[in-house]
Amino acid sequence: MDKFFKKTMKSNHFSIKSHIVIAIAILIAPVFNVQGQPVPSPENNIPFLVTFGKKAPTFWGDFDFSQIWFFVVPDTYKGMVYIRVFDPDTGGANDEINGVFDTKMLYSIYGGKDAYSHEEAQKVNPKGKYKTGNLLASKVFGNDPKYDNQWYTFGPFNPTEGEHFPAYKAYYFKVICEGIEGDDGNMYRYFMSTSATENIPIEGGNSFTHEYTFRLHDDPNQVSYIFPFVEPETTNILVENFDWDNDGQIRVTSEVRREQPMNVSGDDVWVESKFAIREGEIGKSLAFHLIKSKNPVIKNNNVVITVRNQKGDYAKFYSAPIGGFPRYKYTIDQPKLPPKK
Ligand SMILES: [Ca+2]
Ligand SMILES: [Ca+2]
Ligand SMILES: [Ca+2]
Ligand SMILES: [Ca+2]
């Protein structure tokens, strides 16, 4: 009896301790932006990134068969960096078959000078010298059950193998996924980790793309979100989306803007929307709410979206929104009430 009592006390002691640790971790989490390293992020609520084999017709939802992501490692992190890919193959679970699975995907990781800073690396079409920097690793995946529904790990990389940006106090790594053969759709996700075998985020890390190509949920009640960052000196932005299949609505929200609707594209076409940036939106992220059509319900919907400013520079879609999840501040327009007596 005594023994049992002691044991219970001991385990209670441990569980209190672990609760404290969890509570502290939750408090710290928003500061360190730990959600930036799963791509897509929990805030995105997007099932998969999508890249098709280059022989696929564009009406399947990918216009350039290539997608570039950048991973941001803060100067303060001194450990090793691993880039992990979930379901890197095209076959078996998750992927979209066109006839038979005959697609090959090339994943390449770049660091060093010009990996990001080269002008053509910041465009959305895979043209010119966008494969700048030092090639650190690459691998081709076909229809391979060994990697189906599994994680594959690139690395370890030393953070200093990335391209250094003293202004951002960070190193950037570039990851390109391209469909070099075939006509099927590759669904995949990334995670930048401190571990080769688990998904453990790097404190203060983040990730972004200039062209987001992804799969919407099949469930029409799910809402996805993406977060273009508004750089200083932005006055106007141009939003373009491709192959949305008229699937519901896209609405933009910020602290000073409330669910403003934008144009939604049909099958295999681009549409654009333009709007002026408001003062309270500079240096923060906007939230695009991607609200699916309830009737008809559209399944297997792959889509592309980009944002440019008035100078033609493409915005960064950060997976962890800079400045936090953008929400409209309802109080702004409300008149002040007289103080209570
Ligand atoms: Ca095929
Ligand atoms: Ca698969
Ligand atoms: Ca896949
Ligand atoms: Ca589509």
Side-chain angles (χ1 to χ4, degrees), residues 60 90 96-103 181-185:
W60 288 67
T90 307
E96 190 164 7
I97 194 166
N98 182 4
V100 295
F101 278 124
D102 53 4
T103 291
E181 277 180 38
D183 55 7
D184 311 285

mmCIF file of all heavy atoms in Angstrom, residues 60 90 96-103 181-185, ligand 1:
data_model
loop_
_atom_site.group_PDB
_atom_site.id
_atom_site.type_symbol
_atom_site.label_atom_id
_atom_site.label_comp_id
_atom_site.label_asym_id
_atom_site.label_seq_id
_atom_site.Cartn_x
_atom_site.Cartn_y
_atom_site.Cartn_z
ATOM 1 N N TRP A 60 -4.719 20.448 -65.249
ATOM 2 C CA TRP A 60 -4.669 19.687 -63.991
ATOM 3 C C TRP A 60 -4.296 20.600 -62.821
ATOM 4 O O TRP A 60 -4.368 20.191 -61.675
ATOM 5 C CB TRP A 60 -3.677 18.523 -64.096
ATOM 6 C CG TRP A 60 -4.168 17.401 -64.970
ATOM 7 C CD1 TRP A 60 -4.376 17.437 -66.315
ATOM 8 C CD2 TRP A 60 -4.533 16.081 -64.558
ATOM 9 N NE1 TRP A 60 -4.836 16.229 -66.765
ATOM 10 C CE2 TRP A 60 -4.937 15.369 -65.701
ATOM 11 C CE3 TRP A 60 -4.540 15.417 -63.326
ATOM 12 C CZ2 TRP A 60 -5.358 14.037 -65.658
ATOM 13 C CZ3 TRP A 60 -4.955 14.086 -63.277
ATOM 14 C CH2 TRP A 60 -5.358 13.408 -64.440
ATOM 15 N N THR A 90 5.942 9.819 -56.588
ATOM 16 C CA THR A 90 4.668 10.053 -57.284
ATOM 17 C C THR A 90 4.083 8.682 -57.590
ATOM 18 O O THR A 90 4.479 8.018 -58.561
ATOM 19 C CB THR A 90 4.873 10.873 -58.570
ATOM 20 O OG1 THR A 90 5.593 12.064 -58.227
ATOM 21 C CG2 THR A 90 3.535 11.271 -59.191
ATOM 22 N N GLU A 96 -1.701 12.068 -57.563
ATOM 23 C CA GLU A 96 -2.809 12.128 -58.520
ATOM 24 C C GLU A 96 -2.393 11.461 -59.829
ATOM 25 O O GLU A 96 -1.542 11.979 -60.557
ATOM 26 C CB GLU A 96 -3.202 13.598 -58.769
ATOM 27 C CG GLU A 96 -4.488 13.717 -59.559
ATOM 28 C CD GLU A 96 -5.105 15.110 -59.504
ATOM 29 O OE1 GLU A 96 -4.484 16.045 -58.969
ATOM 30 O OE2 GLU A 96 -6.221 15.249 -60.041
ATOM 31 N N ILE A 97 -3.015 10.336 -60.118
ATOM 32 C CA ILE A 97 -2.615 9.526 -61.283
ATOM 33 C C ILE A 97 -3.234 10.076 -62.562
ATOM 34 O O ILE A 97 -4.376 10.536 -62.573
ATOM 35 C CB ILE A 97 -3.008 8.042 -61.049
ATOM 36 C CG1 ILE A 97 -2.308 7.118 -62.048
ATOM 37 C CG2 ILE A 97 -4.529 7.853 -61.119
ATOM 38 C CD1 ILE A 97 -2.391 5.637 -61.651
ATOM 39 N N ASN A 98 -2.455 10.053 -63.640
ATOM 40 C CA ASN A 98 -2.939 10.398 -64.979
ATOM 41 C C ASN A 98 -2.541 9.220 -65.874
ATOM 42 O O ASN A 98 -1.371 9.103 -66.272
ATOM 43 C CB ASN A 98 -2.287 11.713 -65.431
ATOM 44 C CG ASN A 98 -2.773 12.162 -66.796
ATOM 45 O OD1 ASN A 98 -3.662 11.555 -67.400
ATOM 46 N ND2 ASN A 98 -2.169 13.229 -67.299
ATOM 47 N N GLY A 99 -3.471 8.295 -66.127
ATOM 48 C CA GLY A 99 -3.144 7.059 -66.861
ATOM 49 C C GLY A 99 -2.436 6.091 -65.931
ATOM 50 O O GLY A 99 -3.060 5.441 -65.109
ATOM 51 N N VAL A 100 -1.117 6.016 -66.086
ATOM 52 C CA VAL A 100 -0.308 5.226 -65.144
ATOM 53 C C VAL A 100 0.709 6.170 -64.498
ATOM 54 O O VAL A 100 1.023 7.215 -65.065
ATOM 55 C CB VAL A 100 0.449 4.068 -65.845
ATOM 56 C CG1 VAL A 100 -0.531 3.050 -66.407
ATOM 57 C CG2 VAL A 100 1.377 4.595 -66.940
ATOM 58 N N PHE A 101 1.199 5.781 -63.316
ATOM 59 C CA PHE A 101 2.220 6.614 -62.662
ATOM 60 C C PHE A 101 3.552 6.449 -63.402
ATOM 61 O O PHE A 101 4.156 5.377 -63.383
ATOM 62 C CB PHE A 101 2.380 6.203 -61.190
ATOM 63 C CG PHE A 101 1.351 6.799 -60.269
ATOM 64 C CD1 PHE A 101 0.555 5.985 -59.478
ATOM 65 C CD2 PHE A 101 1.198 8.193 -60.169
ATOM 66 C CE1 PHE A 101 -0.377 6.538 -58.598
ATOM 67 C CE2 PHE A 101 0.270 8.745 -59.298
ATOM 68 C CZ PHE A 101 -0.519 7.925 -58.515
ATOM 69 N N ASP A 102 3.972 7.503 -64.068
ATOM 70 C CA ASP A 102 5.226 7.448 -64.838
ATOM 71 C C ASP A 102 6.005 8.763 -64.677
ATOM 72 O O ASP A 102 6.707 9.204 -65.580
ATOM 73 C CB ASP A 102 4.933 7.182 -66.320
ATOM 74 C CG ASP A 102 3.935 8.173 -66.900
ATOM 75 O OD1 ASP A 102 3.523 9.107 -66.177
ATOM 76 O OD2 ASP A 102 3.567 8.019 -68.079
ATOM 77 N N THR A 103 5.832 9.372 -63.511
ATOM 78 C CA THR A 103 6.399 10.708 -63.301
ATOM 79 C C THR A 103 7.659 10.631 -62.445
ATOM 80 O O THR A 103 7.757 9.804 -61.545
ATOM 81 C CB THR A 103 5.324 11.599 -62.648
ATOM 82 O OG1 THR A 103 4.312 11.815 -63.626
ATOM 83 C CG2 THR A 103 5.867 12.916 -62.158
ATOM 84 N N GLU A 181 9.812 14.334 -65.602
ATOM 85 C CA GLU A 181 9.225 13.367 -66.551
ATOM 86 C C GLU A 181 7.791 13.071 -66.154
ATOM 87 O O GLU A 181 7.454 13.179 -64.975
ATOM 88 C CB GLU A 181 9.994 12.036 -66.510
ATOM 89 C CG GLU A 181 11.251 12.001 -67.349
ATOM 90 C CD GLU A 181 11.937 10.637 -67.240
ATOM 91 O OE1 GLU A 181 11.228 9.601 -67.185
ATOM 92 O OE2 GLU A 181 13.169 10.633 -67.204
ATOM 93 N N GLY A 182 6.991 12.638 -67.136
ATOM 94 C CA GLY A 182 5.651 12.128 -66.839
ATOM 95 C C GLY A 182 4.586 13.212 -66.765
ATOM 96 O O GLY A 182 4.833 14.383 -67.066
ATOM 97 N N ASP A 183 3.360 12.774 -66.372
ATOM 98 C CA ASP A 183 2.207 13.676 -66.425
ATOM 99 C C ASP A 183 1.297 13.545 -65.212
ATOM 100 O O ASP A 183 0.135 13.912 -65.260
ATOM 101 C CB ASP A 183 1.411 13.416 -67.711
ATOM 102 C CG ASP A 183 0.989 11.957 -67.846
ATOM 103 O OD1 ASP A 183 1.187 11.186 -66.890
ATOM 104 O OD2 ASP A 183 0.472 11.585 -68.919
ATOM 105 N N ASP A 184 1.837 12.999 -64.105
ATOM 106 C CA ASP A 184 1.017 12.820 -62.902
ATOM 107 C C ASP A 184 1.300 13.930 -61.889
ATOM 108 O O ASP A 184 2.290 14.643 -61.997
ATOM 109 C CB ASP A 184 1.322 11.447 -62.271
ATOM 110 C CG ASP A 184 1.284 10.352 -63.306
ATOM 111 O OD1 ASP A 184 0.177 9.979 -63.728
ATOM 112 O OD2 ASP A 184 2.377 9.912 -63.741
ATOM 113 N N GLY A 185 0.404 13.996 -60.898
ATOM 114 C CA GLY A 185 0.522 15.050 -59.896
ATOM 115 C C GLY A 185 1.202 14.548 -58.631
ATOM 116 O O GLY A 185 0.745 13.573 -58.032
HETATM 117 CA CA CA B 1 0.963 9.172 -66.128
#
